[in-house]
Amino acid sequence: MATASQAPAGTDLQQLARQHLWMHFSRMGAYGPDHEVPIITRAEGCYVYDDHGNRYLDGLSGLFCVNAGHGRTEYGEAAARQVEELDFYTLWSYAHPKAIELAARIANLAPGDLNRVFFTSGGSEAVESALKLSRNYHRMHGKGQKYKVIAREVAYHGTSFGALSATGITELRSQFEPLTPGGCHVPNTNIYRWPEERDPLWAADAIEERIVFEGPETVAAVILEPVQNAGGCFVPPDGYFQRVREICDQYDVLMISDEVICAWGRLGHYFGCERFDYVPDMITIAKALTSAYAPMGGVIASDKVAEPFMEGDASFAHGFTFAGHPIAAAIAMANLDVYERENLCGHVLAKEGEFRGMLESLHDLPIVGDVRGAGFFHAVELVKDKETKESFNDEESERLLRGFLSGELYKRGLICRADDRGDPVVQLAPPLIADTEQFEEIHDVLRAVLTEAGNLMVRGAPDQSARADHLRRN
């Protein structure tokens, strides 16, 4: 039973957070009187501020989503105007103007014949919807045995049970098994770890091999990110997605481009598939559709995929109460106005070389093995030995990432991701308004912290008090 129905006046936020707030993907036991919960209280542009007034460069755009930058009051004004007109109505058998207008605008921006938008409340829901739609599509054509989905190893596609079956990260899957059946996995495009003589289309051909192995009559869809997030911004070799498109067409398998991160300018285009010149059957979107000022996601489906559900008494028996919420849709429209007015995609294309060059300048550090990514979405892979590309073992990664890097980067004013889903990496995805000033800040913090990290890994573990303090950063 809760001890209080509301916070008493003057109650310390740290105390309340430790007592009542359950944070996501967080080691809650790491917080205590001596180790504060980081509390972000305000934000502006590329920066956020904590409850002590400290400023941090938001080098992860919230979580790959505040693409237009923080503090745009016009989004709140758009929401307020919408409340005056229509605060809420569901899309279950009804429509409202903002959902209609937004769907039409998204369809106009999407490539090929992706003209139908099915709204959700977020990214996992978008992936879940695309997977259900792929199964249902084949069933409508008398092929109900096609239910399997092929995804890539280490890829992250969400946390709901269907999406988790596509996620290729063992430690996220194993504690919730058995999962929704049908998830199959193939190698990703971590080119840094490939032998030099390997065929560039090897990983694409592995998808065909897996389809044949499973039986094409059982495979419904292939789901891939344009640039794979988990593992550290894996980019595709030239021709990869074109080959995957051919394979999907050959075996009557739907191609889902998971762009929960990669859409809305992150790679310099409205959609990541445009960056790599392919047209999927579905695109999943969320995060930066509203620049995270309100929760919203969706599936953009091709005319071919939508067609069976648009005739007679057919129905896609799936939905969410808040999907296509009028207020979220109004904010999304305001967000897209900013994209057009400020040419955010063009800014990313103009500045990505400078951003990448800044990261590549860190190659002189012994701990920096690889720099990869596209647009404003890059990763720095950390290694024990540059010559052999030897990585850190699990215990060393724990010391390096959670024992030092995460906390030290934060302490020095940079929020980014130090992660080891795969090999240890530092990921950066600043708001699309970031420019030379922010790149220089990122460089200065990374150079200092990665230099110290390299020295620590040579000398041994950081002192235990520092390690305990930094564990809170998960």
Side-chain angles (χ1 to χ4, degrees):
M1 180 176 180
T3 57
S5 60
Q6 61 183 16
T11 302
D12 178 64
L13 284 176
Q14 286 292 331
Q15 177 185 341
L16 291 175
R18 290 193 294 270
Q19 288 179 341
H20 302 295
L21 182 63
W22 198 337
M23 292 178 292
H24 299 201
F25 287 99
S26 299
R27 299 177 178 183
M28 298 302 296
Y31 302 102
D34 298 325
H35 306 296
E36 288 192 342
V37 174
I39 300 176
I40 303 301
T41 58
R42 66 185 184 93
E44 182 179 0
C46 291
Y47 300 92
V48 298
Y49 299 79
D50 69 12
D51 54 336
H52 300 295
N54 298 314
R55 189 183 81 163
Y56 304 88
L57 175 56
D58 187 2
L60 209 60
S61 299
L63 194 60
F64 313 108
C65 50
V66 190
N67 284 12
H70 297 278
R72 291 187 180 267
T73 56
E74 64 205 271
Y75 292 10
E77 292 164 359
R81 289 193 299 271
Q82 183 59 44
V83 169
E84 292 179 355
E85 179 180 318
L86 176 67
D87 52 354
F88 171 71
Y89 219 78
T90 182
L91 293 183
W92 290 47
S93 301
Y94 299 88
H96 58 78
K98 276 295 181 288
I100 297 169
E101 293 166 6
L102 180 58
R105 191 168 185 178
I106 291 171
N108 187 57
L109 292 171
D113 68 340
L114 281 86
N115 291 315
R116 187 72 62 165
V117 181
F118 184 94
F119 286 113
T120 69
S121 302
S124 288
E125 287 185 3
V127 170
E128 195 83 13
S129 300
L131 296 181
K132 289 181 72 175
L133 182 54
S134 66
R135 289 189 180 191
N136 212 173
Y137 167 83
H138 289 297
R139 185 175 293 274
M140 295 285 280
H141 286 90
K143 300 177 181 180
Q145 72 273 31
K146 291 175 78 72
Y147 71 95
K148 296 175 184 175
V149 59
I150 294 177
R152 295 186 289 198
E153 295 167 357
V154 192
Y156 177 87
H157 292 290
T159 55
S160 56
F161 264 85
L164 194 57
S165 70
T167 291
I169 304 170
T170 301
E171 55 268 30
L172 295 186
R173 296 162 52 89
S174 58
Q175 57 194 303
F176 302 109
E177 291 176 334
L179 304 177
T180 303
C184 308
H185 294 86
V186 295
N188 55 49
T189 61
N190 185 2
I191 300 169
Y192 178 64
R193 295 288 172 184
W194 287 5
E196 290 185 8
E197 68 277 8
R198 176 165 285 170
D199 184 337
L201 296 184
W202 166 79
D205 291 336
I207 293 174
E208 180 177 25
E209 293 171 7
R210 188 62 188 259
I211 291 173
V212 172
F213 174 80
E214 296 294 333
E217 72 282 359
T218 71
V219 179
V222 170
I223 184 168
L224 309 166
E225 296 167 280
V227 173
Q228 183 175 313
N229 170 38
C233 299
F234 297 149
V235 295
D238 291 343
Y240 174 85
F241 281 109
Q242 288 70 33
R243 178 71 183 118
V244 174
R245 179 73 270 180
E246 292 174 358
I247 293 166
C248 289
D249 290 342
Q250 179 180 351
Y251 294 101
D252 188 23
V253 171
L254 296 179
M255 184 180 184
I256 304 169
S257 189
D258 183 357
E259 305 203 15
V260 169
I261 290 175
C262 291
W264 313 119
R266 180 55 56 191
L267 306 185
H269 300 266
Y270 279 106
F271 300 101
C273 58
E274 296 176 288
R275 171 82 183 221
F276 300 108
D277 193 27
Y278 67 96
V279 179
D281 297 298
M282 286 181 266
I283 300 175
T284 56
I285 54 173
K287 291 188 182 288
L289 172 57
T290 64
S291 279
Y293 282 63
M296 195 174 210
V299 179
I300 315 171
S302 68
D303 290 339
K304 178 185 82 170
V305 171
E307 186 272 333
F309 304 94
M310 300 298 148
E311 299 177 352
D313 60 358
S315 171
F316 181 39
H318 174 66
F320 304 95
T321 299
F322 297 119
H325 196 292
I327 295 173
I331 293 172
M333 292 289 281
N335 185 50
L336 293 177
D337 288 343
V338 167
Y339 269 75
E340 291 181 7
R341 185 172 68 245
E342 300 184 14
N343 189 22
L344 293 185
C345 292
H347 177 72
V348 171
L349 292 176
K351 287 289 182 175
E352 68 173 331
E354 181 182 345
F355 179 54
R356 186 185 183 97
M358 173 272 294
L359 295 174
E360 288 181 337
S361 73
L362 301 171
H363 265 305
D364 63 300
L365 300 178
I367 199 172
V368 173
D370 191 31
V371 173
R372 55 181 178 257
F376 278 15
F377 187 36
H378 276 74
V380 177
E381 181 168 333
L382 309 179
V383 295
K384 186 188 299 187
D385 188 308
K386 288 172 78 85
E387 295 300 318
T388 65
K389 301 182 182 179
E390 181 185 1
S391 190
F392 296 96
N393 61 35
D394 290 345
E395 181 182 350
E396 291 167 334
S397 291
E398 177 75 12
R399 292 206 321 262
L400 172 64
L401 300 177
R402 284 163 285 276
F404 177 71
L405 272 182
S406 292
E408 192 65 19
L409 289 165
Y410 182 73
K411 187 174 82 173
R412 299 197 190 197
L414 175 62
I415 295 176
C416 57
R417 169 176 275 177
D419 191 31
D420 60 352
R421 292 176 297 177
D423 296 301
V425 297
V426 173
Q427 270 186 301
L428 293 133
L432 307 190
I433 61 172
D435 212 324
T436 301
E437 178 184 354
Q438 287 74 42
F439 301 160
E440 291 175 348
E441 289 183 48
I442 292 171
H443 171 271
D444 291 347
V445 173
L446 282 181
R447 177 165 289 278
V449 175
L450 291 180
T451 297
E452 180 62 16
N455 292 336
L456 282 170
M457 296 311 291
V458 170
R459 294 200 307 264
D463 68 88
Q464 291 304 303
S465 62
R467 180 176 184 275
D469 186 48
H470 298 324
L471 275 174
R472 76 188 196 282
R473 298 298 301 155
N474 188 29

